[in-house]
C-alpha cells in the first residue's frame, strides 16, 4: 500500500491553482449548474474552456493523436479534484463531450466521425459542445424502454420521438443520442443505437424545463422527422446498449474526483465561515463539521480506490455506483448542515446571490435546492444500489 | 498510489486467517467468555511462535521488524474472528509506547519478554469518570522516597491476568490537566493492588483496579515525570487505528454473514436478498465497510511512514465506531429473529460494539478532537 501521488500530479496541481488564481475573478466560488443558466455565465465558461484547451488540460486524458496528452488516470484525478475545488467552469464541454462522447467515439466511431468531432471537442469551441439524449418521458431508470426511433432511409436515418431532462441541450451544438433501431428485438436493450446529431438539423425543437428555483438547466427535446446521415451512426446498429454501458463507466469514473474536490471546498468555506462568525462555540455545529470531514475523507479514499482499479486495467463495475451513492449522501448531509450553519440567511434565493444578504456567494443555498436533482442525474441512488447489490455482493437481480 | 498488499502482507493475512479459523472457532470464543482468564494460553503460545507479539519490534528486541501497517493487518484478522485475549492490551497499548518512549534499559528488559509471550501487559488509564480526556486522570502518585499510588482505575483490559501495567497517574496539579501526568511501570502483583473483573456484556475481562498505597520506585517511570500526557496521546492515536482495524474486521464479518444469509433464506419463494428492501440495506453496509477499510489503511500507512495525522486518526476511530455498530445491527435485521439469538455468531460481534466504541475514545470524544483540528487548519483556498 502506498497512498502518495507522484511528482507529476503535484506539479499539475500547482499549475491548476495558479491558473485558477489568474483566470478567475477574485474570491471566485463556483455555483453548481449555474453556467448553463445565464448567457454571461455560459460565455465565461466557454472562454475558460478555450484556455483549458490551450493548456492541454481540457482533454488531457485522451491519447495525443486525438488532441489529448495521454495523461494518466492519476493526473486526470488530480485535475478533476483541483478544477472542482477551485470552481473552474467549462471543464466538460456540455454534458459528456469530454467524459464520454470523446472516449466512446475513439472506441466505436468511424474514422470520419473521429476526425470531425474529436478536434472540435478538444478545441474548447462552441461547436464541440454536446448534450446527451438518453432519458425519455417513459424511460428513466428503465432506460432500455426508450421509444425514440431511427428508421433507415437510403443514406439517412429518420428520427422521431422525444427526449427529456436533457441538460445543456440549449447550449449544445451536438447531441449524443440513443434511439431504437429495432423495435422487434427479442430483448429491448438489443435494439438500441447511438447517433451523433447536429442540434441545428431541421425538425429538432428544444423546449426549456425550469427547475423549482428557476434555473434553466435541462430541457425537453423533440425530434420530428429529423434526417441524420447514416455515417453519423456511432458503432454498430443495435449495439448501442453495450457501447453505452462502456461509456457510462467513464462518466461514473469521473464523478468521484470531482465530487471530492467540490465537497472539500464547500466544507472549507463552511469552516472559515464558522470561524469568522464564532460558530465553533456551538456543539451541534462542531459535530456537524466533524461528521462532514469524516465523510469527505472517506469519499477521497473510495474515489482513489476506484481510480486505482481502473489504472490496473480493470473495469470497475460497482465501485463507481458506490462512489456516486456516497457522494449523493454527502451532498445531502452537507446541504442540511450548511443551511443549518447559515440559519436565517439560508433563505436567500440562490438566483439572487449578488444580494448583500447572501452568504458564501449563495453556494450553500444552491447546494440545498439542487442536490435532489444532482442525485438523480446519471442514475438514481436506488438504481446504483441495485448495481452494488448485484455486482458488489453477488445478490440476485432485484428488479 | 498502490492499493495492493505486498507479498509479505498477503502472507500475514493468509496465515493469520488460517490460524485463527482453526484456533479460534466461535465455540472457543463462547467458552472464553465464561473462562476466568479470558484467553487460551495454548493459542497464546502459538501466536508467539508465529512472531505476532514482537511483529514490529526491531530484531535487537527479538522482534521481526515489520511495520505498523503490518500490525494493523493482523488486528483486522483478529477482529474478523473475534479473538479474545490480551494481545491488544500487551502489544498495542503497552509495547508500542515502551518502544517509543522507553529508556534503552527498559526496552532491553521488557520487550524481549513480550516478544516471547512471557509477560502480559495492560494499560490502566481510565477511571470512574470514564473518559479519555486528560482531566479524567485523578489517580494520585505522591513522591515519598518511592512514589505511592492511590486511586482506582476502571475498564482496564485483562488486568486479571496481567503481569505488568502502565499506570497513568497525576503527580502534580497544574492549571492545564495535560500537565502533571506521569506514566508508571507497575508490577501487577505489587502489594496494595486489588483487581476485580467488571461484568461487561462482551465478557471481555475489563477490570476495576484499586491502588491502595502501592509503592513504585522512581526508576519505573516511562518517559519523564509530569510529561506523561504525550505518551497517552501517542497511545490513543496508535491504538485507535489498531482498534479501528479490529472493528473493521468485525464489520466485514457481520456484512458477510448478512449477505450469505440473504442468498440462502427463502421467503415468498425467493431468496430475501432479491428484495430491494434487503438488498439496498446490504449495499449501504458495503459502502460503510469499504469506506472504513480504506480510511483505516490510509491512517495506518501514514503512521508507518512517519507522517501520522491526529486529525485522520480521530476520523478513523469515529468512523469505525459508527460503522461497526451499524453493520452489526443491520446484519441482525437482515437475519430476522435468528439474528437475535445466542445461537447465531453475529450476536458475539454485536456484543463487542460498546466495548470497542469506548476503547480509546467514543464518537463524541473523537468528533471533538476533529473539531479542534478544524478550528486551526488552513484551507487550500486561502493559500
Amino acid at each position: 500500500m502506498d497512498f502518495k501521488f507522484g511528482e507529476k500530479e503535484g506539479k499539475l496541481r500547482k499549475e491548476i491553482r495558479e491558473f485558477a488564481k489568474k483566470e478567475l475573478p477574485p474570491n471566485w466560488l463556483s455555483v453548481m449548474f449555474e453556467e448553463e443558466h445565464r448567457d454571461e455565465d455560459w460565455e465565461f465558461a466557454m472562454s475558460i474552456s478555450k484556455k483549458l484547451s490551450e493548456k492541454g488540460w481540457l482533454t488531457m486524458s485522451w491519447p495525443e493523436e486525438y488532441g489529448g496528452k495521454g495523461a494518466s488516470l492519476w493526473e486526470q484525478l488530480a485535475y478533476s479534484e483541483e478544477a472542482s475545488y477551485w470552481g473552474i467552469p467549462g471543464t466538460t464541454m456540455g454534458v459528456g463531450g469530454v467524459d464520454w462522447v470523446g472516449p466512446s467515439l475513439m472506441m466505436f466511431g468511424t474514422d470520419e466521425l473521429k476526425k470531425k468531432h474529436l478536434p472540435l471537442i478538444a478545441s474548447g469551441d462552441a461547436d464541440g459542445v454536446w448534450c446527451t439524449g438518453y432519458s425519455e418521458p417513459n424511460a428513466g431508470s428503465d432506460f432500455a424502454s426508450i421509444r425514440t426511433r431511427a428508421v433507415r432511409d437510403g443514406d439517412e436515418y429518420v428520427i422521431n420521438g422525444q427526449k427529456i431532462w436533457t441538460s445543456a441541450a440549449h447550449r449544445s451544438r451536438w447531441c449524443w443520442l440513443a434511439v431504437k433501431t429495432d423495435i422487434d428485438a427479442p430483448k429491448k436493450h438489443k435494439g438500441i443505437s447511438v447517433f451523433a446529431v447536429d442540434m441545428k438539423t431541421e425538425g429538432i425543437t428544444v423546449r426549456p424545463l425550469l427547475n423549482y428555483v428557476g434555473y434553466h438547466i435541462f430541457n425537453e427535446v423533440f425530434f420530428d422527422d429529423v434526417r441524420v446521415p447514416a455515417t453519423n451512426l456511432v458503432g454498430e446498429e443495435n449495439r448501442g446498449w453495450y457501447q453505452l454501458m462502456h461509456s457510462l463507466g467513464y462518466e461514473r469514473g469521473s464523478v468521484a474526483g470531482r465530487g471530492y474536490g467540490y465537497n472539500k471546498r464547500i466544507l472549507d468555506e463552511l469552516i472559515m465561515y464558522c470561524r469568522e462568525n464564532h460558530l465553533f462555540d456551538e456543539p451541534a455545529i462542531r459535530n456537524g463539521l466533524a461528521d462532514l470531514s469524516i465523510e469527505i475523507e472517506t469519499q477521497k479514499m473510495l474515489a482513489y480506490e476506484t481510480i486505482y482499479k481502473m489504472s490496473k486495467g480493470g473495469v470497475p463495475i460497482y465501485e463507481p455506483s458506490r462512489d456516486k451513492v456516497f457522494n449523493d449522501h454527502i451532498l445531502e448531509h452537507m446541504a442540511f448542515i450548511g443551511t443549518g450553519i447559515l440559519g436565517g440567511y439560508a433563505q436567500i434565493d440562490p438566483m439572487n446571490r449578488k444580494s448583500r444578504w447572501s452568504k458564501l456567494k449563495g453556494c450553500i443555498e444552491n447546494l440545498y435546492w439542487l442536490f435532489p436533482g444532482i442525485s438523480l442525474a446519471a442514475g438514481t441512488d436506488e438504481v446504483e444500489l441495485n448495481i452494488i447489490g448485484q455486482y458488489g455482493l453477488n445478490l440476485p437481480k432485484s428488479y | 498510489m498502490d492499493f495492493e498488499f505486498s507479498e509479505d502482507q498477503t502472507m500475514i493475512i493468509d496465515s493469520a486467517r488460517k490460524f485463527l479459523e482453526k484456533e479460534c472457532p466461535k465455540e472457543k470464543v463462547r467458552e472464553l467468555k465464561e473462562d476466568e482468564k479470558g484467553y487460551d494460553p495454548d493459542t497464546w503460545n502459538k501466536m508467539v511462535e508465529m512472531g505476532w507479539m514482537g511483529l514490529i519490534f526491531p530484531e535487537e528486541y527479538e522482534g521481526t521488524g515489520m511495520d505498523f501497517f503490518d500490525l494493523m493487518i493482523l488486528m483486522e484478522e483478529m477482529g474478523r474472528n473475534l479473538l479474545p485475549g490480551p494481545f491488544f492490551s500487551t502489544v498495542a497499548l503497552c509495547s508500542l509506547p515502551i518502544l517509543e518512549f522507553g529508556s534503552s534499559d527498559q526496552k532491553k528488559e521488557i520487550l524481549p519478554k513480550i516478544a516471547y509471550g512471557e509477560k502480559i501487559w495492560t494499560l490502566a488509564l481510565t477511571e470512574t469518570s470514564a473518559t479519555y480526556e486528560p482531566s479524567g486522570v485523578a489517580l494520585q502518585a505522591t513522591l515519598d522516597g518511592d512514589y505511592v499510588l492511590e486511586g482506582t482505575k476502571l475498564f482496564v483490559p485483562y488486568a486479571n491476568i496481567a503481569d505488568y501495567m502502565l499506570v497513568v497517574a497525576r503527580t502534580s496539579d497544574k492549571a492545564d490537566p495535560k500537565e502533571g501526568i506521569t506514566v508508571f511501570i507497575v508490577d501487577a502483583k505489587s502489594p496494595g493492588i486489588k483487581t476485580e473483573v467488571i461484568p461487561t456484556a462482551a465478557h471481555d475481562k475489563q477490570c476495576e483496579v484499586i491502588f491502595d498505597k502501592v509503592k513504585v520506585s522512581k526508576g519505573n517511570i516511562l518517559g519523564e515525570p509530569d510529561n506523561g500526557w504525550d505518551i497517552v496521546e501517542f497511545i490513543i492515536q496508535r491504538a485507535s487505528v489498531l482498534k479501528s482495524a479490529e472493528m473493521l474486521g468485525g464489520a466485514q464479518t457481520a456484512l458477510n454473514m448478512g449477505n450469505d444469509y440473504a442468498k440462502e433464506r427463502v421467503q415468498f419463494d425467493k431468496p430475501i436478498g432479491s428484495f430491494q428492501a434487503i438488498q439496498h440495506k446490504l449495499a449501504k453496509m458495503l459502502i460503510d465497510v469499504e469506506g472504513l477499510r480504506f480510511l483505516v489503511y490510509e491512517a495506518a500507512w501514514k503512521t508507518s511512514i512517519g507522517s501520522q495525522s491526529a486529525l485522520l486518526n480521530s476520523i478513523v476511530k469515529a468512523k469505525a465506531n459508527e460503522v461497526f455498530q451499524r453493520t452489526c445491527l443491520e446484519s441482525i435485521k437482515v437475519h430476522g429473529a435468528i439474528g437475535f439469538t445466542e445461537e447465531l455468531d453475529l450476536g458475539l460481534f454485536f456484543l463487542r460494539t460498546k466495548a470497542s466504541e469506548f476503547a480509546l475514545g467514543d464518537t463524541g470524544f473523537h468528533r471533538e478532537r476533529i473539531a479542534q483540528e478544524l478550528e486551526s487548519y488552513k484551507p487550500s483556498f486561502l493559500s
Side-chain angles (χ1 to χ4, degrees):
Chain A
M1 300 266 166
D2 179 356
F3 303 129
K4 255 194 321 290
F5 279 94
E7 270 173 37
K8 261 190 177 172
E9 288 86 26
K11 192 168 157 265
L12 178 63
R13 282 181 196 275
K14 217 174 140 228
E15 283 169 18
I16 295 165
R17 285 166 191 222
E18 278 159 16
F19 176 88
K21 282 180 185 168
K22 181 165 161 251
E23 303 294 346
L24 303 176
N27 302 317
W28 173 265
L29 182 52
S30 84
V31 173
M32 228 188 295
F33 281 139
E34 210 178 40
E35 66 191 47
E36 282 98 334
H37 177 69
R38 283 191 197 89
D39 288 347
E40 54 180 289
D41 291 328
W42 180 255
E43 274 165 34
F44 179 62
M46 287 309 293
S47 75
I48 297 290
S49 297
K50 190 79 204 154
K51 288 175 181 164
L52 291 170
S53 162
E54 284 157 11
K55 285 267 180 194
W57 292 341
L58 187 62
T59 51
M60 62 152 67
S61 59
W62 298 7
E64 281 173 39
E65 54 177 313
Y66 299 125
K69 276 187 152 180
S72 74
L73 283 159
W74 296 112
E75 288 172 278
Q76 293 171 52
L77 177 73
Y79 168 69
S80 338
E81 252 183 62
E82 293 296 329
S84 297
Y85 185 88
W86 294 98
I88 298 173
T91 55
T92 54
M93 293 304 281
V95 177
V98 172
D99 285 344
W100 63 89
V101 173
S104 302
L105 284 175
M106 290 175 217
M107 275 192 283
F108 308 110
T110 57
D111 283 345
E112 187 191 331
L113 284 174
K114 284 192 249 187
K115 253 183 223 156
K116 174 167 185 179
H117 290 291
L118 295 177
L120 278 177
I121 299 172
S123 70
D125 287 333
D127 284 347
V129 176
W130 289 70
C131 60
T132 292
Y134 290 166
S135 293
E136 295 184 7
N138 291 307
S141 295
D142 184 11
F143 161 67
S145 292
I146 54 171
R147 290 183 197 166
T148 297
R149 284 192 67 185
V151 179
R152 179 89 186 220
D153 181 21
D155 291 341
E156 293 175 325
Y157 282 86
V158 182
I159 298 175
N160 278 288
Q162 184 199 345
K163 294 290 167 180
I164 196 166
W165 326 126
T166 316
S167 297
H170 56 304
R171 300 291 180 192
S172 301
R173 174 65 203 271
W174 292 93
C175 181
W176 180 253
L177 184 68
V179 297
K180 273 272 159 78
T181 33
D182 179 2
I183 50 165
D184 301 320
K187 289 201 166 167
K188 55 189 181 181
H189 62 275
K190 287 193 171 166
I192 294 172
S193 301
V194 177
F195 285 90
V197 179
D198 187 340
M199 290 295 281
K200 287 188 177 166
T201 318
E202 204 185 323
I204 295 179
T205 313
V206 175
R207 187 190 292 164
L209 282 168
L210 299 189
N211 73 11
Y212 43 60
V213 180
Y215 280 116
H216 179 194
I217 300 168
F218 48 33
N219 303 272
E220 291 178 285
V221 183
F222 297 90
F223 297 84
D224 186 12
D225 282 332
V226 174
R227 303 190 78 88
V228 175
T231 48
N232 283 21
L233 171 70
V234 179
E236 284 176 54
E237 201 183 66
N238 299 329
R239 291 282 301 167
W241 171 271
Y242 305 97
Q243 294 167 202
L244 290 183
M245 288 304 108
H246 236 96
S247 42
L248 267 179
Y250 279 95
E251 175 184 17
R252 289 174 179 161
S254 67
V255 167
R258 276 192 199 136
Y260 169 64
Y262 179 83
N263 296 338
K264 183 91 172 83
R265 175 60 181 269
I266 301 293
L267 174 62
D268 281 356
E269 294 284 349
L270 285 172
I271 290 169
M272 291 316 292
Y273 181 86
C274 289
R275 264 196 239 168
E276 283 155 19
N277 294 282
H278 310 289
L279 295 172
F280 262 101
D281 300 338
E282 291 184 32
I285 288 180
R286 294 177 83 78
N287 283 345
L289 292 173
D291 280 341
L292 288 176
S293 336
I294 297 168
E295 286 169 359
I296 293 172
E297 185 67 19
T298 307
Q299 174 180 39
K300 180 185 89 177
M301 293 309 290
L302 288 172
Y304 290 3
E305 197 243 356
T306 303
I307 300 296
Y308 176 75
K309 284 188 173 151
M310 290 170 75
S311 76
K312 289 285 142 187
V315 182
I317 308 285
Y318 78 89
E319 291 86 347
S321 298
R322 171 193 76 189
D323 297 352
K324 180 173 187 297
V325 172
F326 197 60
N327 188 51
D328 291 340
H329 164 78
I330 293 175
L331 291 177
E332 180 172 327
H333 196 190
M334 196 157 64
F336 291 166
I337 289 176
T339 49
I341 286 169
L342 295 195
Y345 296 104
Q347 302 173 83
I348 306 299
D349 180 357
M351 300 276 279
N352 284 294
R353 66 197 181 91
K354 285 180 182 150
S355 156
R356 66 198 160 101
W357 301 114
S358 177
K359 303 293 182 190
L360 297 177
K361 298 199 163 53
C363 73
I364 302 298
E365 297 94 288
N366 208 71
L367 173 65
Y368 180 80
W369 301 116
L370 294 187
F371 82 80
I374 299 164
S375 67
L376 297 174
T380 64
D381 284 352
E382 289 73 18
V383 166
E384 306 289 358
L385 289 168
N386 287 339
I387 294 172
I388 300 170
Q390 221 178 318
Y391 299 99
L393 293 163
N394 294 313
L395 286 164
K397 189 174 172 186
S398 64
Y399 54 95
Chain B
M1 286 274 176
D2 186 358
F3 275 71
E4 252 144 75
F5 295 114
S6 68
E7 262 179 50
D8 283 353
Q9 288 164 349
T10 310
M11 262 173 55
I12 297 180
I13 294 171
D14 290 347
S15 64
R17 205 167 287 181
K18 259 187 231 143
F19 175 79
L20 291 168
E21 271 165 21
K22 185 162 161 277
E23 282 294 322
C24 186
K26 298 299 174 296
E27 305 86 77
K28 174 75 80 58
V29 178
R30 286 188 173 82
E31 264 170 45
L32 291 174
K33 269 173 71 178
E34 309 310 326
D35 183 81
E36 205 179 308
K37 289 197 183 107
Y39 84 118
D40 178 352
D42 189 41
T43 305
W44 182 261
N45 291 334
K46 289 179 186 160
M47 287 160 61
V48 173
E49 280 165 33
M50 296 184 67
W52 287 4
M53 305 297 164
L55 191 77
I56 74 171
F57 301 169
E59 282 175 27
E60 56 174 315
Y61 305 122
E62 308 301 326
T64 28
M66 312 278 282
D67 67 15
F68 187 82
F69 195 93
D70 304 319
L71 181 58
M72 177 281 291
I73 293 176
L74 199 52
M75 287 306 307
E76 184 187 337
E77 293 307 318
M78 290 180 184
R80 272 177 192 262
N81 263 287
L82 280 181
L83 173 76
F87 180 85
F88 185 79
S89 71
T90 303
V91 174
L93 297 177
C94 295
S95 81
L96 297 186
I98 291 167
L99 190 61
E100 179 81 11
F101 296 95
S103 69
S104 119
D105 284 348
Q106 285 169 340
K107 288 193 276 195
K108 262 187 247 164
E109 166 65 23
I110 297 168
L111 295 178
K113 287 181 185 156
I114 290 179
Y116 288 126
E118 289 164 12
K119 298 294 174 201
I120 288 169
W121 283 71
T122 191
L123 171 73
L125 169 58
T126 51
E127 303 186 10
T128 50
S129 54
T131 174
Y132 281 83
E133 296 290 353
S135 58
V137 179
L139 184 137
Q140 286 289 335
T142 319
L143 189 57
D144 180 16
D146 291 332
Y147 279 96
V148 179
L149 274 53
E150 181 83 38
T152 299
K153 291 288 180 182
L154 270 194
F155 308 112
V156 183
Y158 290 93
N160 56 325
I161 50 164
D163 300 295
Y164 289 95
M165 295 184 213
L166 291 180
V167 181
V168 183
R170 194 156 289 285
T171 33
S172 59
D173 284 313
K174 302 270 170 68
D176 182 351
K178 284 180 185 165
E179 291 175 16
I181 286 172
T182 304
V183 179
F184 292 95
I185 295 170
V186 180
D187 185 335
K189 309 286 182 302
S190 306
I193 293 182
K194 215 178 102 199
T195 297
E196 194 179 311
V197 173
I198 301 167
T200 56
H203 292 236
D204 55 351
K205 308 299 179 270
Q206 296 187 57
C207 301
E208 174 186 6
V209 184
I210 298 170
F211 294 79
D212 181 15
K213 299 194 185 68
V214 176
K215 282 190 181 168
V216 182
S217 87
K218 277 195 274 188
N220 282 337
I221 287 175
L222 186 65
E224 290 168 24
D226 283 351
N227 282 330
W229 184 254
D230 288 350
I231 300 175
V232 178
E233 182 65 40
F234 172 93
I235 297 171
I236 289 175
Q237 291 203 33
R238 295 298 194 280
S240 291
V241 176
L242 295 174
K243 182 53 80 173
S244 300
E246 185 187 76
M247 296 162 87
L248 164 65
Q252 183 70 60
T253 305
L255 167 58
N256 294 350
M257 289 181 75
N259 193 28
D260 291 346
Y261 189 74
K263 288 169 189 161
E264 287 160 16
R265 171 71 174 170
V266 172
Q267 287 285 275
F268 307 103
D269 303 321
K270 285 180 185 166
I272 59 170
S274 65
F275 301 120
Q276 289 183 343
I278 300 295
Q279 190 168 127
H280 288 187
K281 203 189 270 297
L282 287 161
K284 288 176 187 167
M285 290 156 69
L286 173 142
I287 297 174
D288 261 350
V289 175
E290 294 197 347
L292 173 61
R293 173 173 305 281
F294 301 119
L295 272 186
V296 171
Y297 290 178
E298 185 192 20
W301 172 75
K302 283 202 155 189
T303 302
S304 68
I305 62 162
S307 9
Q308 55 279 353
S309 144
L311 174 62
L312 181 58
N313 294 342
S314 279
I315 282 177
V316 168
K317 183 62 173 30
K319 175 91 177 175
N321 286 344
E322 299 209 329
V323 169
F324 186 33
Q325 172 173 290
R326 192 157 56 218
T327 312
C328 287
L329 194 57
E330 293 300 293
S331 188
I332 289 170
K333 290 184 199 168
V334 169
H335 280 84
I338 189 78
F340 189 56
T341 60
E342 203 271 338
E343 176 194 339
L344 195 80
D345 296 341
L346 190 54
L348 294 171
F349 288 85
F350 191 46
L351 284 171
R352 288 269 187 107
T353 52
K354 282 296 137 185
S356 305
E357 183 185 331
F358 174 71
L360 288 321
D362 61 16
T363 312
F365 174 84
H366 284 288
R367 271 204 197 115
E368 177 51 31
R369 285 165 75 99
I370 295 166
Q372 282 170 22
E373 295 284 334
L374 296 181
E375 273 187 283
S376 58
Y377 114 117
K378 189 176 178 199
S380 320
F381 76 87
L382 293 175
S383 64

